[in-house]
Amino acid sequence: MNKPLFIIEIAAALLIFGCSTGDNSEAGDMTHANGTPVATGGYATGPTAGMEGQAGRKDDAPGEMMDGGVQTLPPEKEKLVDFEQPQAGKRFVFVVNPETDSVFIIDSKNFAVKTAHPPGDKPTFLKTVESPTDEADIAIVLNAPLVAKDEENNAAVIRAKADEEPTANALRVVKNSNVIAVSPDGRHAVVYYNSNYSSASDSSGRYQDVTVISLSKESDQSFNITVGFRPSAVYFTSDGTKGFVVTEDGVSILDFAEIERSGAGVAETVSLGYTLSERPSDVSITADGRYALARLQNDAAVYLVDLETRSIKALNLVLKEIINRDSDADDDDAGVDPRVSQGQITDLDLAASGDYAVAVLRDTSEVLKIPVPQAFDDPSQINATKIDGVVIGLSELAPDGRHALLYTTVVPDERVTVLDLEGETKPQTVRLQKSIETVAIAPDSKNALLIHTKQEGWREDPAIDENTRIDRSYGYSILRLADGFPKLQVTDTQLGPFVITPEYLFILFRDDALSIKEVQRVSLVSLQVDTIGLKRPPYSIGSISQFERVFIAQEQAGGLITLMDWKGDLREDISGFDRNPKIERGSEK
Amino acid sequence: MSARCFISSVLFFLILLAYGCGERDDLAIPVDLMQPLALGPKVVFIDKSLYKAYLLDVTKKEIEPKVTAADLPPRPLLVQKRNQVDELLILCAGQQDTEGKEEKPAALAVLKSDGGVRKYEIERGFNSLIQSQDGRYVFLSVQGQTEDDPTATNTIVLPQNVMFIDLEKKPSDESARFSLLLGNSISNVPTGVSFSPEMSVAGKSRRLALIQSTDIVWLVDLSTPDSPPIFIQPNVGQQFSFEQALFDEKKKRLFLRGSNTDTINILDFAEDTDASSATDMLPLPVLRDPRLVAQGPSDMALYTVGDRTYLLVVSNGSNVATIIDTDSSTVATVALPVVANRILMFSSTAASESEAPSAQALLYNHGGQYNVVTFIDLANIDLEGTERLKAESVESVYFDTYFDQLSVVPNGNIVVLINTNGKQVSLLDLAERNVFPIKTPSQMKVIADSRVNKLWFEPRTNDQNNDRLVYLDLETFSSEDVRLDSQIEHALLVGTEAEAQIAIVHPSSIGYVTVLDAKSPSRKSAVSVEGFFISHVLDRGEP
């Protein structure tokens, strides 16, 4: 199973400007890149704006009082992944223009621009596909939800190649689709409507349909498949042969070969075993597609579902013992563990390899490394590490699986703990200068970007001291995982989207009120920060791997994209590609 | 110097006395002269107040101190030499019907070297004139309005109103001129025009004009003036500030450059898809995908290699040049040592008779302060991109001093690079790419004279010692000067290639010109003529 990684292109859209925090909902998992919605490219500056992609399912009520009057901490908050447009393929940058029903394709090598006119109205959502078998850059584009009158030609597959005119193959997909998930082999995509990602009050009314797109340069095809209720995320096996749609009814399995043979149909949906009163969270699928892993909200239970045999195993991670689900399966209160007060899981992450999962028990300051599936038969294989004196509620696994970062978002704790998951070194708690809002680890697993919270209050108040001034500022830290060395960078406004290249981290900053429009280039070697001014307010950044360039899209009539090499030395501004031409005959003389 | 001084001081005072007593129109001493111009063998002075043109023939062996006067329509505003034809174009504002004055229409007067004038009546209010490169068409428009603008009358002037005149047609021919009202928006106010060469579109040979405004262009078929113009807006809602248009008559394409966009827009007539092609009407062009170029495109030029046509673009905001294969979407960039905002196209000399001259470009910065130009051998450019660009295709030449202007010697292989604030110019041999720095005694205007392969240096009137005409022989690279009897106000190239002369106009209210043989200028052979305006007055007084 391919758990989506923080590859460079995906990191391009890791955060949206000004997005607020979400609960531990399924879609809030930062690693659900392949199943992430594509946003319309709007720029959000308010503290709660840009949250179209936030999952609507709320977790526990914050700060609830437990029996005995002991106040518990509110739930942890993990940041949301979101995509911003435009997006880059291997060579081309794709920019949609709903107003002119066009997709502009910019060649990052020589700045040539081509225009594709996908069928239908208002192409809005776009996702690039890296296909190992197709030398063309591929993008799937969906027309705007609630605009398309029917399902005829409401999506297209665009292919762009050097020295050839782009092609746009029309497809019909589930009406109002707003999510595109692409398999790791680039051969299939799953398109569906997720109301959590839409601000519109209307919906398609088709809460149990997804469209499977079979990508082939000879003939693209689409198949409508019935799945469980309200799909919220999609996973794929690492070989791309199967897809898994997380729904409220369980995990619906998409066998692409079978779908291409049989056409439209009903996907087999495997229950995760929880009851009507239980609320699963952090659902993930192992790399080989064999197991689904989920935890229950407000609970110490973790479920492992064998997607082949349908067998379900459960562990109580507080007690480190197997839960016998059969004994109380019919009880109304089956999901309510009387021992919940002993602790609950606040985060559950599956390693990219699928070999183990990491769970965080905030109440007991424990981190558990859970071998999958072995620990579900033998809980003694669980390796528990207690982090004394630190509040930890969330974990973030490095792509190489070697380290995990442990932190909390619910108290202003200015610390982060680096945990060596191989146990060769002791956990290292690092003192920071600001508390953490969210964390991202670079693809090479060497550095982490810690985005800090900003405390209320005027930071220029002459009555406050330096530390308070720092707390009242926006900022981020780069943390070296090898030795835990952090470097703080205070900023004038909140961080925008960022992209990580092998040597540099590029972060966008924008604040229209303060006239801030810049990109900060952070050397991942020296940790030095350079600020590069931009012409216009930026809204999107991405990386073009083939020519080692970063693109930054900025708001300007006619379009403006700045291309710079991965070192940020060479810059080219290109504009005017986004146009709405008008040619007509004038009146008689 | 064998100067001929025609007038004595006594006579001069008598004339002045007569002038003071008589009617001004009857005793016509020029009082408000525009800058003189050369017209074939003659020097022409135009009086804005008396509405007359005075022609002085300076090529005769014995120059008569006498001018021929030609009547012009009232209130001449501006004068231009007609391109490719020995005629002057004089835009006249006309005269309103006011107390004691008869109404006379505005007109474009075309003055021939024999003094003949033909007048094309035009609508009132035009104050700008642009001609086609071949001098056939004239475009008239309204550009701003200053306090002392003679057109500031009670007439309502619509800045969207424009007029074309076909100078190959007689003024009596109704089809010789037509006007257009370009919409009713301020964005329709024209800022310029470009004329196409002869282009075959939809089965008909046509001349097109592209009227530019801030965000719109109007395409006018001059060959079928009755057909409505075509309105083109490359991006609705965005100001493009069009600056330049190029025409590829073979491929039937138009290339549009604006200062407010980093794209080159391409209009294509190759596909005659419009139903109007069944008639003479100009079909609607297809707007191709724009070509992105480096920031702030400032100049562009078309060239061909084999059967392919390329567009070379330089930019104000980036030290790269962009080359676009107009037949495909291929675009390549060429790194330059500094920003270049102008292009000079030229052809290299063929190495052998079997080889055709290859397209070359000289890129330079106009108005800036740079001491480098860059040559690009366009025939050898590999459009696969800068990574594979052949190094030998690009060569930069550095100068000892900065320059901000470049002047080309017509039909020559020499360009002159000028530092307008200093006293130095540099000559650049395009073939050998050698540089010859030259120091001048003062700040001077350079006049390239391909007839005799010389550069003339016209001193500024406020310079000391500006009675010396300095020139440089481009064959020997020797510099000489000729001392004249009076200050130099203007230097004009008159005569023909066989009898090339240079006429020096000196400051004088009664007219004072010195004529030199352009091939062998010398004080000894120079001829001066003075007082020819008074001669005219005396002639008019004779029965």
Side-chain angles (χ1 to χ4, degrees):
Chain A
M1 172 65 63
N2 173 51
K3 182 173 182 178
L5 302 177
F6 260 122
I7 61 174
I8 292 170
E9 289 75 9
I10 291 172
L14 186 61
L15 293 173
I16 57 173
F17 279 102
C19 67
S20 63
T21 54
D23 295 331
N24 284 345
S25 54
E26 290 160 326
D29 190 327
M30 296 178 71
T31 59
H32 286 195
N34 276 348
T36 304
V38 278
T40 55
Y43 194 99
T45 55
T48 58
M51 285 304 296
E52 290 179 1
Q54 180 179 343
R57 292 187 61 163
K58 299 297 180 187
D59 212 339
D60 326 63
E64 63 185 74
M65 297 292 287
M66 302 301 290
D67 290 342
V70 178
Q71 186 176 18
T72 62
L73 292 172
E76 296 288 343
K77 300 173 180 177
E78 276 192 303
K79 273 279 196 178
L80 179 71
V81 185
D82 201 355
F83 281 88
E84 293 282 345
Q85 294 173 15
Q87 290 200 39
K90 291 170 285 192
R91 172 169 180 158
F92 297 95
V93 178
F94 294 82
V95 184
V96 293
N97 183 340
E99 298 306 314
T100 57
D101 301 334
S102 307
V103 176
F104 302 107
I105 303 163
I106 300 165
D107 191 331
S108 63
K109 181 181 180 186
N110 56 26
F111 311 149
V113 62
K114 301 172 182 177
T115 307
H117 297 283
D121 297 329
K122 295 195 180 302
T124 302
F125 303 128
L126 185 143
K127 177 97 171 68
T128 51
V129 179
E130 282 208 34
S131 170
T133 58
D134 196 333
E135 59 185 16
D137 269 8
I138 304 172
I140 299 172
V141 60
L142 306 180
N143 294 342
L146 314 180
V147 172
K149 294 183 177 64
D150 50 39
E151 294 180 5
E152 290 298 326
N153 299 332
N154 56 357
V157 177
I158 298 172
R159 285 181 172 79
K161 289 172 69 174
D163 302 327
E164 288 186 16
E165 288 301 306
T167 61
N169 296 334
L171 292 173
R172 56 185 292 178
V173 300
V174 172
K175 186 180 178 184
N176 295 351
S177 293
N178 59 359
V179 179
I180 306 167
V182 179
S183 65
D185 62 354
R187 294 177 187 273
H188 297 93
V190 179
V191 170
Y192 64 101
Y193 172 77
N194 187 333
S195 59
N196 295 326
Y197 300 136
S198 173
S199 58
S201 57
D202 194 4
S203 75
S204 67
R206 300 175 63 172
Y207 291 103
Q208 290 186 246
D209 290 336
V210 300
T211 300
V212 171
I213 297 175
S214 177
L215 295 163
S216 166
K217 53 187 173 184
E218 288 78 29
S219 174
D220 301 308
Q221 292 179 283
S222 63
F223 308 93
N224 285 350
I225 304 295
T226 299
V227 297
F229 182 67
R230 198 177 283 168
S232 58
V234 175
Y235 289 88
F236 297 93
T237 55
S238 55
D239 62 4
T241 57
K242 288 183 179 178
F244 302 87
V245 183
V246 177
T247 73
E248 293 185 16
D249 293 330
V251 174
S252 298
I253 302 173
L254 306 172
D255 185 330
F256 296 131
E258 178 61 26
I259 289 170
E260 287 171 354
R261 274 194 300 272
S262 308
V266 180
E268 184 179 9
T269 299
V270 179
S271 169
L272 294 177
Y274 43 82
T275 68
L276 294 177
S277 60
E278 292 175 337
R279 302 175 67 186
S281 186
D282 288 345
V283 178
S284 51
I285 313 291
T286 55
D288 58 2
R290 176 74 185 272
Y291 299 103
L293 188 71
R295 69 179 175 91
L296 290 183
Q297 295 177 7
N298 304 324
D299 204 310
V302 172
Y303 290 178
L304 184 73
V305 180
D306 188 325
L307 296 174
E308 289 183 1
T309 66
R310 310 297 188 261
S311 66
I312 301 172
K313 296 175 181 176
L315 284 177
N316 183 314
L317 294 184
V318 172
L319 302 176
K320 317 281 189 304
E321 64 182 31
I322 296 171
I323 299 172
N324 183 0
R325 294 288 302 171
D326 296 333
S327 62
D328 58 1
D330 298 328
D331 296 346
D332 289 341
D333 60 349
V336 181
D337 192 320
R339 296 163 294 186
V340 69
S341 60
Q342 296 172 357
Q344 57 183 267
I345 305 165
T346 51
D347 197 13
L348 177 68
D349 290 328
L350 185 63
S353 65
D355 294 340
Y356 65 89
V358 170
V360 180
L361 303 175
R362 187 176 62 195
D363 295 341
T364 56
S365 286
E366 275 187 299
V367 183
L368 309 181
K369 183 180 179 183
I370 308 161
V372 176
Q374 297 86 342
F376 288 82
D377 295 319
D378 179 9
S380 67
Q381 294 192 31
I382 296 174
N383 183 8
T385 304
K386 194 165 179 61
I387 312 294
D388 292 326
V390 182
V391 179
I392 54 169
L394 294 170
S395 66
E396 181 67 28
L397 301 186
D400 65 359
R402 173 70 189 266
H403 293 97
L405 291 182
L406 309 171
Y407 62 103
T408 182
T409 60
V410 298
V411 294
D413 191 353
E414 298 181 347
R415 288 174 295 184
V416 64
T417 299
V418 183
L419 175 66
D420 183 348
L421 291 167
E422 295 181 0
E424 294 181 2
T425 58
K426 291 182 179 179
Q428 180 185 10
T429 297
V430 177
R431 178 174 174 271
L432 305 170
Q433 303 304 321
K434 290 170 68 63
S435 55
I436 296 174
E437 185 175 334
T438 191
V439 166
I441 300 178
D444 63 2
S445 301
K446 292 180 179 175
N447 294 282
L449 171 66
L450 314 179
I451 299 173
H452 296 299
T453 54
K454 175 189 176 301
Q455 288 186 2
E456 293 295 321
W458 184 37
R459 73 170 184 173
E460 303 301 335
D461 188 344
I464 60 176
D465 60 16
E466 190 68 31
N467 285 338
T468 307
R469 187 167 294 115
I470 291 173
D471 288 341
R472 291 183 180 181
S473 301
Y474 294 103
Y476 63 93
S477 293
I478 304 297
L479 179 73
R480 249 181 357 215
L481 296 185
D483 60 2
F485 178 79
K487 183 180 183 187
L488 171 69
Q489 178 69 41
V490 172
T491 61
D492 292 330
T493 190
Q494 59 195 323
L495 279 73
F498 60 86
V499 63
I500 300 174
T501 66
E503 292 184 39
Y504 292 94
L505 164 68
F506 294 85
I507 310 170
L508 294 187
F509 291 89
R510 170 181 176 170
D511 190 312
D512 294 352
L514 299 176
S515 296
I516 296 173
K517 44 185 189 299
E518 61 193 32
V519 58
Q520 286 191 358
R521 180 186 60 178
V522 186
S523 167
L524 297 176
V525 178
S526 68
L527 304 186
Q528 290 297 306
V529 178
D530 294 321
T531 299
I532 302 168
L534 298 171
K535 271 185 171 180
R536 301 282 301 161
Y539 67 90
S540 175
I541 187 169
S543 177
I544 306 151
S545 55
Q546 186 171 339
F547 297 108
E548 299 187 351
R549 284 178 173 164
V550 167
F551 77 82
I552 300 170
Q554 294 150 77
E555 284 190 352
Q556 176 172 289
L560 172 61
I561 282 182
T562 297
L563 284 170
M564 59 178 73
D565 65 7
W566 274 0
K567 292 185 177 181
D569 294 333
L570 299 175
R571 294 177 59 189
E572 291 290 347
D573 287 332
I574 52 179
S575 65
F577 51 84
D578 192 352
R579 60 180 186 166
N580 180 15
K582 181 180 179 183
I583 298 180
E584 58 188 37
R585 206 172 293 283
S587 56
E588 296 288 335
K589 293 175 203 167
Chain B
M1 175 181 287
S2 61
R4 293 182 53 190
C5 296
F6 174 75
I7 187 160
S8 68
S9 58
V10 175
L11 181 57
F12 177 57
F13 282 114
L14 286 174
I15 295 299
L16 288 181
L17 183 63
Y19 174 66
C21 298
E23 285 295 324
R24 184 171 163 171
D25 282 354
D26 294 334
L27 291 173
I29 295 178
V31 293
D32 190 6
L33 291 177
M34 304 169 83
Q35 182 172 320
L37 289 173
L39 180 59
K42 304 201 174 155
V43 176
V44 179
F45 301 86
I46 292 172
D47 190 318
K48 289 198 289 186
S49 297
L50 300 182
Y51 318 150
K52 288 188 183 299
Y54 301 103
L55 294 83
L56 176 69
D57 191 337
V58 296
T59 55
K60 293 179 181 174
K61 288 185 178 177
E62 297 293 325
I63 301 175
E64 286 187 61
K66 187 175 179 180
V67 291
T68 305
D71 290 331
L72 298 175
R75 296 195 297 152
L77 293 176
L78 56 88
V79 58
Q80 287 181 10
K81 172 83 171 58
R82 185 180 170 190
N83 294 337
Q84 313 291 335
V85 182
D86 263 349
E87 290 180 340
L88 294 185
L89 306 177
I90 306 156
L91 180 61
C92 302
Q95 180 174 280
Q96 281 197 308
D97 179 16
T98 56
E99 191 175 342
K101 287 189 176 179
E102 180 189 354
E103 170 144 351
K104 293 184 178 176
L108 175 70
V110 182
L111 176 66
K112 298 171 74 74
S113 59
D114 63 2
V117 178
R118 65 181 191 277
K119 301 165 188 172
Y120 296 85
E121 286 191 15
I122 58 176
E123 294 167 37
R124 207 179 293 280
F126 294 123
N127 60 4
S128 171
L129 183 156
I130 301 172
Q131 15 169 355
S132 59
Q133 203 165 11
D134 63 353
R136 174 174 175 178
Y137 293 102
V138 161
F139 173 75
L140 302 175
S141 64
V142 182
Q143 297 297 319
Q145 198 158 4
T146 58
E147 198 170 312
D148 59 351
D149 188 342
T151 66
T153 65
N154 293 329
T155 307
I156 294 176
V157 176
L158 292 175
Q160 299 97 326
N161 194 34
V162 300
M163 177 174 267
F164 287 95
I165 300 175
D166 183 349
L167 295 177
E168 288 191 356
K169 294 181 178 175
K170 294 179 180 176
S172 57
D173 187 340
E174 282 298 316
S175 65
R177 55 197 175 279
F178 64 91
S179 59
L180 294 170
L181 187 61
L182 304 176
N184 54 7
S185 163
I186 194 164
S187 62
N188 299 130
V189 175
T191 56
V193 70
S194 302
F195 294 91
S196 79
E198 203 79 31
M199 292 178 73
S200 176
V201 179
K204 180 179 168 64
S205 183
R206 305 170 194 266
R207 292 291 299 275
L208 307 178
L210 200 86
I211 306 171
Q212 304 154 15
S213 65
T214 51
D215 58 354
I216 298 169
V217 293
W218 295 83
L219 195 54
V220 180
D221 184 359
L222 298 171
S223 307
T224 54
D226 290 336
S227 63
I230 293 173
F231 168 101
I232 300 166
Q233 194 169 12
N235 196 357
V236 175
Q238 188 188 1
Q239 195 173 82
F240 266 71
S241 301
F242 284 104
E243 286 194 336
Q244 187 183 11
L246 294 178
F247 299 84
D248 180 352
E249 63 267 35
K250 287 184 181 174
K251 304 279 176 65
K252 303 174 187 176
R253 295 187 186 123
L254 281 68
F255 301 87
L256 310 179
R257 177 181 66 80
S259 64
N260 205 27
T261 174
D262 298 340
T263 61
I264 304 298
N265 287 283
I266 303 172
L267 292 169
D268 199 335
F269 280 109
E271 296 176 8
D272 300 331
T273 55
D274 189 26
S276 62
S277 60
T279 69
D280 275 352
M281 198 176 286
L282 181 68
L284 292 177
V286 175
L287 187 63
R288 296 292 181 204
D289 284 340
R291 299 294 187 263
L292 300 177
V293 295
Q295 183 186 354
S298 52
D299 196 10
M300 59 183 182
L302 282 167
Y303 67 96
T304 57
V305 177
D307 60 349
R308 298 189 81 84
T309 305
Y310 300 90
L311 186 70
L312 174 65
V313 185
V314 291
S315 301
N316 264 323
S318 178
N319 58 333
V320 298
T322 307
I323 299 174
I324 299 166
D325 182 343
T326 65
D327 298 313
S328 72
S329 60
T330 305
V331 179
T333 56
V334 181
L336 306 175
V338 296
V339 170
N341 59 15
R342 289 286 193 281
I343 300 170
L344 172 67
M345 300 295 293
F346 65 100
S347 296
S348 68
T349 307
S352 65
E353 289 185 359
S354 60
E355 290 183 20
S358 64
Q360 307 266 331
L362 174 70
L363 310 184
Y364 63 100
N365 195 291
H366 176 84
Q369 289 291 320
Y370 294 100
N371 66 336
V372 58
V373 297
T374 301
F375 288 91
I376 302 183
D377 183 357
L378 296 165
N380 291 329
I381 288 289
D382 183 348
L383 286 201
E384 283 303 307
T386 53
E387 296 90 343
R388 295 173 56 188
L389 186 64
K390 293 177 181 175
E392 61 267 29
S393 298
V394 180
E395 180 185 353
S396 293
V397 176
Y398 290 81
F399 298 79
D400 291 337
T401 57
Y402 297 108
F403 62 88
D404 54 8
Q405 280 186 13
L406 183 144
S407 179
V408 185
V409 179
N411 305 322
N413 267 329
I414 301 289
V415 294
V416 186
L417 298 123
I418 305 161
N419 180 344
T420 53
N421 292 321
K423 298 176 181 177
Q424 187 154 353
V425 299
S426 297
L427 304 182
L428 174 63
D429 184 338
L430 294 178
E432 301 297 329
R433 300 180 182 181
N434 293 328
V435 178
F436 305 93
I438 299 170
K439 287 195 174 178
T440 61
S442 60
Q443 295 178 2
M444 292 183 163
K445 175 185 172 186
V446 180
I447 301 168
D449 191 347
S450 61
R451 304 171 305 169
V452 293
N453 213 14
K454 282 186 175 62
L455 292 181
W456 304 99
F457 294 87
E458 179 189 289
R460 297 186 180 178
T461 51
N462 56 357
D463 287 341
Q464 291 182 343
N465 302 320
N466 70 348
D467 58 351
R468 287 182 181 275
L469 178 63
V470 183
Y471 65 92
L472 179 76
D473 190 324
L474 294 175
E475 290 176 358
T476 63
F477 284 97
S478 60
S479 171
E480 302 286 345
D481 66 86
V482 178
R483 186 175 62 81
L484 305 176
D485 287 341
S486 182
Q487 293 183 336
I488 299 172
E489 195 170 60
H490 300 289
L492 303 172
L493 304 182
V494 290
T496 60
E497 188 159 350
E499 295 185 17
Q501 293 178 313
I502 182 163
I504 307 301
V505 179
H506 304 289
S508 167
S509 60
I510 58 173
Y512 186 3
V513 169
T514 299
V515 183
L516 298 100
D517 179 1
K519 287 181 182 169
S520 305
S522 70
R523 180 177 172 80
K524 189 176 179 183
S525 61
V527 176
S528 290
V529 56
E530 188 174 11
F532 42 82
F533 289 139
I534 298 175
S535 164
H536 171 68
V537 173
L538 293 176
D539 285 349
R540 286 179 63 88
E542 292 170 356

